[in-house]
Amino acid sequence: MNSPKHNTEYISAINVTQTSEEVYKFNFSTNGEREKNSWWYIFCLKCRQKEVGPGWEPGCWPKTCPHPYCPSYRHVARILALLVTVTLFWGVVLAVMGSDAKPGGQLFNIAVLVVFAYLGGWVFRMLTLPALVGMLLVGIVYKNVGLIHIEGHYTELVSMLRKIALVVIFTRAGLDLDPVALKKLYCRVLFLALVPWCTEAAVIATTVHYLLNLPWPFAILCGSIIAAVAPAVVVPCLFRLRTKGYGVAKGIPTLIIAVAGIDDAASVIAFGVGTSMLFGSNSVTYDLLLSPVSIAAGILYGLIWGFIVKYVPERSDPYVVPLRILMLTGGGLLAVLGFERSSLEGAGPLAVIISSFTSIYFWTKQGWNIEDNPVATAFEIFWMICEPILFGLTGTQIVLKELDLKFVTVTVMCVAIAFVSRIFITIIAASGSSLNFKEKLFIALSWMAKASVQAALGPAVLEVALNNKNQDHIDYSRTIVMVCIISILLTAPAGAIIVSLSGTRLLTKAKPSNEQWRRGPRPSIRDITLNSEDEENGTSVSNDLQVQECISDVAKSECTAAEDRSDKI
């Protein structure tokens, strides 16, 4: 039997052990919290989200490459698979093309430019800036260092790549429109789309005419291209805001996205009409009569093709998704290339937007959720491939030694004046609606970014001018391209930052019970990181990818449970 002394020593030893364990746990938790609050941990966490779903990795991987400091095994394996695939593809091209695919050949240089443009975009994305700005800068550096010179039949290849990218971006723009919301807001959407667009186009045309000495026809064409809003910049930022519930009570994200699509369509129409009148060999009267025919042909083609895709393939076909992707892609390419051959250039891009919008309208009636649309997800993947091609090659149009500081300064002034004018006219045009001043200001600010439309249509004007072989027209077209690129570099990063930061301050956050609340359309790969905010009413939304993927009505209960778990963690 133990003596009281032994019992006291035993109890003291237990207390000491418990105390040491508590101290160890306290130190461990303190160090862990300190580590999680470090800038390096936060930066790595923004770059790498945890993988979702079952998977396999070597047993030593978590210890050797801890999350989030190192990429997951799945991510590394994915990159290796892409590298192997690219190497195999290059080997096949080398066997077919010969010397052009070898280092130093034009085809090889174009491929390397695309790879570096993608890496430049990745760097900018990690800095929470639009990737397209990094891609543009890579193209500019690549050209001015002398690493690429495109000539001969490769100019036709570059032209075809731009047209493919044009089809992809306008198909995405049409698929991102919400037919139900547009039906409810079509009067307001059309008014807010066309009035600010016309105002900005007119201001740009006036300023570049008087300050850059562009003739009126080219100045008007330049203004109509610059006035388009950039879906590539605006849409991902709005998706994140809409996921967190900001502005959904009044349908502001849908309104902004819809206006961006209509702006693109207006710029496409103006591009087709303007190029046919400027570079066509027909009389002005004939061109004026041809313009409405071009618009009507594009709309009719889009409606018919969208109606066909409703029934072909059949909705219950197990291969319905890939077949619909092929149908939309083939129809879009045929529209752009076919109408170009028939001297109706403006009808092609317009037909692409109309056909994709008509398709999503019918698909939603068949039961597809507009925000859980696998066809739109596929075109987002296609855009990942086309984006570095489009912006990298567009950047090669800028030769720095040919730029004049005065020209750049004047161009910046023109874009800034037009942007300020659009802000004022948008606020005025939104008067009489249910929007308050902060919401009107946010809408006006969200329409400042320029990107994909300018990168696609600007070089297209130059291409038409080069085919026309008129030196004055070529010089004017080069000016339009430079204005487009400077506007992208100036407004794309600023627009993304302003939309991301001002959205949480200017928009009202809805409750999850709101019928317009959405869990996040498709987890956007082009996202701008926003800090999570806990509101007093407790309606914060988790940024966990697993929560973002709970987007169907059937999974609402699972989404709520996932949010609760994320909040506890």
Side-chain angles (χ1 to χ4, degrees):
M1 190 170 179
N2 295 331
S3 62
K5 181 178 179 180
H6 289 140
N7 290 337
T8 302
E9 293 176 353
Y10 177 74
I11 293 172
S12 300
I14 292 177
N15 292 335
V16 170
T17 305
Q18 291 177 344
T19 303
S20 61
E21 289 179 355
E22 291 174 356
V23 170
Y24 173 77
K25 291 180 180 179
F26 175 77
N27 291 333
F28 180 80
S29 62
T30 303
N31 293 333
E33 291 297 327
R34 187 181 298 113
E35 180 184 8
K36 290 185 177 181
N37 291 330
S38 64
W39 68 270
W40 184 246
Y41 181 90
I42 295 173
F43 178 78
C44 292
L45 193 62
K46 287 183 178 181
C47 299
R48 303 184 182 94
Q49 297 291 338
K50 284 188 176 182
E51 300 290 348
V52 178
W56 177 88
E57 62 182 10
C60 61
W61 193 271
K63 296 180 181 179
T64 308
C65 303
H67 175 80
Y69 299 106
C70 300
S72 64
Y73 175 76
R74 179 183 295 179
H75 186 67
V76 173
R78 185 186 304 135
I79 293 177
L80 290 176
L82 290 174
L83 290 176
V84 171
T85 303
V86 170
T87 303
L88 293 174
F89 182 76
W90 177 72
V92 173
V93 174
L94 180 62
V96 175
M97 300 295 295
S99 59
D100 284 346
K102 293 180 180 179
Q106 289 194 63
L107 185 61
F108 183 83
N109 291 339
I110 293 173
V112 174
L113 167 64
V114 172
V115 172
F116 277 97
Y118 179 82
L119 294 177
W122 178 82
V123 171
F124 269 67
R125 197 178 305 120
M126 293 303 100
L127 299 174
T128 65
L129 293 173
L132 55 93
V133 178
M135 297 172 186
L136 264 178
L137 292 176
V138 168
I140 294 173
V141 172
Y142 215 78
K143 176 67 176 180
N144 288 273
V145 173
L147 297 176
I148 190 170
H149 181 66
I150 301 172
E151 59 183 3
H153 59 277
Y154 282 101
T155 56
E156 299 179 2
L157 173 64
V158 171
S159 174
M160 182 59 63
L161 291 175
R162 285 200 184 98
K163 291 170 184 174
I164 293 173
L166 192 70
V167 170
V168 172
I169 188 59
F170 286 135
T171 302
R172 282 195 65 198
L175 291 174
D176 282 331
L177 296 177
D178 190 340
V180 178
L182 278 180
K183 188 176 181 180
K184 296 179 181 178
L185 304 170
Y186 71 95
C187 290
R188 178 63 62 182
V189 167
L190 288 175
F191 189 72
L192 286 176
L194 297 180
V195 172
W197 182 88
C198 292
T199 301
E200 185 173 8
V203 172
I204 284 286
T206 304
T207 53
V208 298
H209 171 72
Y210 288 107
L211 299 180
L212 296 179
N213 298 320
L214 270 182
W216 274 115
F218 284 91
I220 294 173
L221 179 61
C222 180
S224 63
I225 294 175
I226 297 297
V229 180
V233 177
V234 176
V235 171
C237 304
L238 290 174
F239 279 171
R240 175 58 67 88
L241 289 171
R242 189 169 65 182
T243 302
K244 295 165 74 69
Y246 288 100
V248 298
K250 296 183 180 179
I252 292 176
T254 299
L255 175 66
I256 295 174
I257 294 172
V259 168
I262 295 174
D263 269 16
D264 292 348
S267 293
V268 166
I269 294 171
F271 164 78
V273 174
T275 52
S276 62
M277 295 182 68
L278 284 173
F279 305 109
S281 57
N282 303 310
S283 63
V284 177
T285 304
Y286 179 83
D287 289 331
L288 290 176
L289 293 175
L290 191 65
S291 299
V293 174
S294 176
I295 296 171
I299 295 175
L300 183 62
Y301 179 95
L303 292 175
I304 293 175
W305 193 252
F307 188 78
I308 291 174
V309 177
K310 173 186 177 182
Y311 295 103
V312 180
E314 192 267 329
R315 71 178 73 178
S316 301
D317 192 318
Y319 301 102
V320 64
V321 174
L323 289 176
R324 284 179 171 177
I325 293 170
L326 291 174
M327 292 283 286
L328 272 187
T329 305
L333 289 173
L334 177 62
V336 171
L337 300 178
F339 280 118
E340 182 180 332
R341 292 287 184 181
S342 59
S343 301
L344 297 173
E345 292 87 351
L350 178 62
V352 174
I353 293 179
I354 297 297
S355 62
S356 56
F357 173 70
T358 306
S359 301
I360 195 63
Y361 173 76
F362 288 126
W363 294 344
T364 53
K365 286 185 173 296
Q366 292 176 352
W368 269 16
N369 189 338
I370 189 174
E371 296 183 354
D372 189 15
N373 182 359
V375 175
T377 304
F379 275 93
E380 183 175 351
I381 296 172
F382 295 161
W383 179 241
M384 289 175 57
I385 301 171
C386 293
E387 189 177 23
I389 297 174
L390 177 62
F391 288 102
L393 292 174
T394 301
T396 60
Q397 301 290 333
I398 288 289
V399 180
L400 295 179
K401 64 181 181 181
E402 296 179 359
L403 284 179
D404 183 27
L405 180 60
K406 180 181 178 181
F407 172 83
V408 175
T409 305
V410 171
T411 304
V412 171
M413 289 175 55
C414 294
V415 175
I417 293 171
F419 169 59
V420 174
S421 302
R422 181 160 189 158
I423 289 179
F424 283 110
I425 200 66
T426 301
I427 294 175
I428 295 173
S431 301
S433 64
S434 60
L435 304 174
N436 57 42
F437 178 77
K438 288 184 177 181
E439 292 166 341
K440 294 175 186 177
L441 179 60
F442 175 80
I443 290 174
L445 292 173
S446 67
W447 288 334
M448 71 173 293
K450 317 296 177 186
S452 49
V453 175
Q454 290 74 21
L457 297 184
V461 175
L462 178 59
E463 182 182 339
V464 177
L466 290 172
N467 294 332
N468 200 37
K469 297 180 180 180
N470 184 314
Q471 188 58 45
D472 290 335
H473 290 177
I474 293 174
D475 293 338
Y476 297 146
S477 300
R478 289 188 187 279
T479 301
I480 293 177
V481 172
M482 292 179 182
V483 173
C484 289
I485 294 178
I486 292 173
S487 69
I488 295 172
L489 294 174
L490 181 65
T491 63
I497 294 172
I498 289 175
V499 171
S500 299
L501 296 181
S502 65
T504 57
R505 293 166 175 81
L506 298 178
L507 299 180
T508 303
K509 189 172 185 180
K511 295 182 179 180
S513 58
N514 187 283
E515 61 178 3
Q516 297 188 43
W517 180 280
R518 294 171 179 175
R519 287 294 166 202
R522 296 169 302 279
S524 180
I525 304 169
R526 301 283 184 253
D527 219 343
I528 302 296
T529 303
L530 293 174
N531 294 327
S532 299
E533 295 183 1
D534 295 327
E535 300 290 334
E536 294 180 357
N537 55 10
T539 58
S540 62
V541 180
S542 173
N543 284 332
D544 192 351
L545 185 59
Q546 186 176 4
V547 177
Q548 292 183 9
E549 290 182 343
C550 297
I551 51 180
S552 64
D553 293 334
V554 179
K556 282 185 178 179
S557 59
E558 296 178 7
C559 291
T560 304
E563 286 182 351
D564 293 337
R565 289 194 299 271
S566 299
D567 290 338
K568 290 179 181 179
I569 293 174

